[in-house]
Amino acid sequence: MDNLEKAKSIIGNFRIDGELEKIKINTQGHINSTFISTFTENGKVRKYTHQMINKSVFTHPDEVMSNIMLVTEHIQNKVRRMDEAESRCLSVVLSRDGKPYYIDSDGEYWRTYHFIDDVDTFDKMDSDKIAYELGRAIGNFQSQLSDFDSSKLYTTIKDFHNMNWRYEQLDEAVRNNKAGRLSLVSAELEFLYANKERGCRIWNGFADGSIPSRVTHNDTKLNNVLFSKKTGEGICVIDLDTIMPGTILFDTGDMIRVSCSTVTEDEKDLSKIDFSVSFYKSIFKGYLEKADYLEDIEKSLIKESGRTITQIMAVRFLTDYLNGDVYYHIAYPEHNIVRARNQIQLMKKMDEHWDEY
Ligand code: ADP
Ligand code: GN1
Ligand code: MG
């Protein structure tokens, strides 16, 4: 049975009433398998998102869901208190037996969210207006969680943004050369090793306590934010699997990495890749309007964070390519090396524009 058939067969196990009209796959994410269903009940249409959690990435899906329940409830309470009529939040639909997930007969974990409708998602930045709204949405998300007790959160992926560890993984992939691809990537390895020390600075500052620890999202790429079709506002931050204590610089960095590039991370043609100073300025403006509690050290490293998170992604994509594509969903065999080269090119473009922003 393929995953779409599976999805059809499991959704009856969630607290959803009405008739299933249709179900389709969403292919935007690299990690989980996502399906969108439409139900009707007494003429009313309701949509849901169903996801099979990737168990090889998230080895404790119950802990992921515990984090998500706590965080979504915290945000829902805030939004209700502030009466932000326009805001809409992610909310989990429980299984029929009252759990935030359902385990199918193959031992796979599924979860369901209310689908947030009338929204746009973007894989590539669209305009300065969206860039500004993205900054506001991420800043707002972080400030909504600034009074959340981070000791309640499980660490869903240990060392997720630990650059030293990511380099150890790369060292190991080089040593093992599992997929026999080592000879194809010497230029990429040379660039990444030459940048290692600089790339480790933010993690080292976080680890030694000089950069404060806060609750962070850790995966703030553009398509993890939903924008209102009507107003263009960034109304909801989704994909909460990696909510953990971290530095806000992981979030600013990922936001800059994806949203200041003139292309998606899948673009093969390096000549099309550039860094948009204008999008950076718009994101930065929106972000600082909402994240008004930052310390000077955090503010001073926002620009560097974009370069650092681009670097960590180059290291991760290259590691996965050398390991034989075991982590990310890929569409063709060279996909991970295309992504790694794309990220390296973006770092070079950041350097070219460095004095302009
Ligand atoms: P992944 O971890 O695989 O990236 P996401 O949770 O980001 O999974 O979901 C993948 C895509 O599905 C998103 O980019 C978004 O387009 C859509 N999506 C997910 N949840 C919702 C939701 N509650 N409402 C609307 N769209 C959603
Ligand atoms: C993955 O889940 P998704 O597709 O939003 C990855 C991120 C990377 C991103 C690169 C758990 O995010 O860390 O930045 O791909 N998520 C995980 O596109 O590894
Ligand atoms: Mg996602």
Side-chain angles (χ1 to χ4, degrees):
M1 189 167 25
D2 67 17
N3 283 345
L4 182 61
E5 285 305 310
K6 257 192 180 183
K8 267 189 209 159
S9 72
I10 66 99
I11 56 186
N13 296 292
F14 288 92
R15 292 181 179 167
I16 299 176
D17 297 321
E19 290 293 309
L20 175 64
E21 294 295 332
K22 59 179 182 205
I23 178 161
K24 64 176 182 126
I25 299 188
N26 175 306
T27 54
Q28 270 179 321
H30 293 347
I31 304 292
N32 297 312
S33 304
T34 302
F35 305 88
I36 294 166
S37 69
T38 308
F39 279 77
T40 49
E41 192 190 8
N42 303 327
K44 270 204 176 138
V45 177
R46 287 203 192 87
K47 286 179 170 178
Y48 301 88
T49 304
H50 312 278
Q51 290 180 320
M52 189 173 90
I53 302 175
N54 185 327
K55 265 198 311 185
S56 52
V57 171
F58 298 103
T59 46
H60 295 285
D62 51 334
E63 297 184 356
V64 169
M65 290 315 294
S66 163
N67 287 357
I68 291 178
M69 289 304 286
L70 290 171
V71 165
T72 51
E73 279 164 10
H74 183 88
I75 293 178
Q76 281 158 18
N77 287 333
K78 283 247 145 119
V79 169
R80 267 198 286 274
R81 263 208 307 278
M82 289 164 65
D83 195 24
E84 291 175 10
E86 266 297 299
S87 290
R88 275 176 295 157
C89 328
L90 203 56
S91 76
V92 173
V93 179
L94 297 179
S95 68
R96 296 238 175 248
D97 54 3
K99 293 210 177 70
Y101 50 80
Y102 172 78
I103 307 175
D104 73 16
S105 54
D106 297 324
E108 299 293 350
Y109 282 69
W110 292 80
R111 67 173 166 224
T112 296
Y113 294 114
H114 291 280
F115 185 81
I116 301 173
D117 220 345
D118 298 319
V119 292
D120 284 319
T121 49
F122 303 93
D123 287 322
K124 181 163 95 64
M125 185 45 78
D126 192 57
S127 62
D128 282 307
K129 156 84 177 147
I130 298 295
Y132 168 76
E133 290 297 342
L134 170 71
R136 282 176 67 88
I138 298 298
N140 188 40
F141 179 82
Q142 287 176 349
S143 50
Q144 284 172 332
L145 290 174
S146 57
D147 60 345
F148 182 87
D149 174 4
S150 67
S151 68
K152 290 183 181 161
L153 293 176
Y154 290 102
T155 294
T156 54
I157 302 181
K158 191 171 170 294
D159 286 327
F160 192 56
H161 277 119
N162 179 346
M163 188 75 100
N164 303 294
W165 181 72
R166 292 292 181 187
Y167 268 94
E168 282 165 27
Q169 299 293 104
L170 179 60
D171 298 342
E172 198 181 321
V174 167
R175 264 196 314 277
N176 296 337
N177 189 16
K178 270 196 196 137
R181 291 166 162 173
L182 187 58
S183 62
L184 305 173
V185 300
S186 8
E188 291 73 18
L189 285 171
E190 195 187 324
F191 179 87
L192 291 175
Y193 280 111
N195 279 278
K196 179 174 172 183
E197 199 216 304
R198 179 172 171 186
C200 289
R201 281 184 208 155
I202 288 184
W203 172 267
N204 292 342
F206 172 63
D208 72 19
S210 46
I211 301 173
S213 174
R214 305 183 189 276
V215 178
T216 47
H217 181 281
N218 295 304
D219 191 4
T220 47
K221 66 185 202 185
L222 179 57
N223 66 24
N224 286 332
V225 178
L226 308 179
F227 296 87
S228 161
K229 269 194 201 302
K230 215 166 50 198
T231 64
E233 270 173 283
I235 55 170
C236 182
V237 180
I238 59 167
D239 205 346
L240 307 180
D241 296 323
T242 47
I243 291 243
M244 287 179 275
T247 145
I248 58 100
L249 298 165
F250 301 151
D251 289 357
T252 56
D254 210 24
M255 175 164 77
I256 296 164
R257 171 184 83 84
V258 178
S259 303
C260 296
S261 175
T262 50
V263 296
T264 71
E265 69 190 9
D266 295 321
E267 176 61 55
K268 294 179 191 163
D269 182 351
L270 298 187
S271 71
K272 291 189 180 152
I273 302 178
D274 203 357
F275 179 81
S276 166
V277 171
S278 171
F279 289 162
Y280 177 88
K281 288 184 175 161
S282 302
I283 291 174
F284 193 77
K285 181 169 184 284
Y287 178 72
L288 286 189
E289 277 176 15
K290 289 287 180 176
D292 52 4
Y293 50 82
L294 300 183
E295 292 183 14
D296 287 346
I297 185 157
E298 294 169 301
K299 281 192 209 154
S300 71
L301 286 167
I302 291 178
K303 179 172 159 183
E304 185 66 20
S305 74
R307 192 182 193 277
T308 300
I309 299 300
T310 309
Q311 182 172 345
I312 208 168
M313 286 317 305
V315 170
R316 292 177 61 192
F317 287 138
L318 184 59
T319 302
D320 200 33
Y321 181 68
L322 290 172
N323 286 340
D325 312 312
V326 291
Y327 188 88
Y328 293 106
H329 291 169
I330 53 160
Y332 57 93
E334 293 76 36
H335 206 153
N336 274 316
I337 190 62
V338 162
R339 290 166 171 156
R341 289 187 177 132
N342 173 306
Q343 299 294 287
I344 288 172
Q345 182 68 4
L346 182 59
M347 286 174 73
K348 292 180 179 167
K349 288 291 170 183
M350 287 173 175
D351 291 347
E352 258 178 56
H353 291 286
W354 199 254
D355 294 334
E356 298 163 35
Y357 64 104

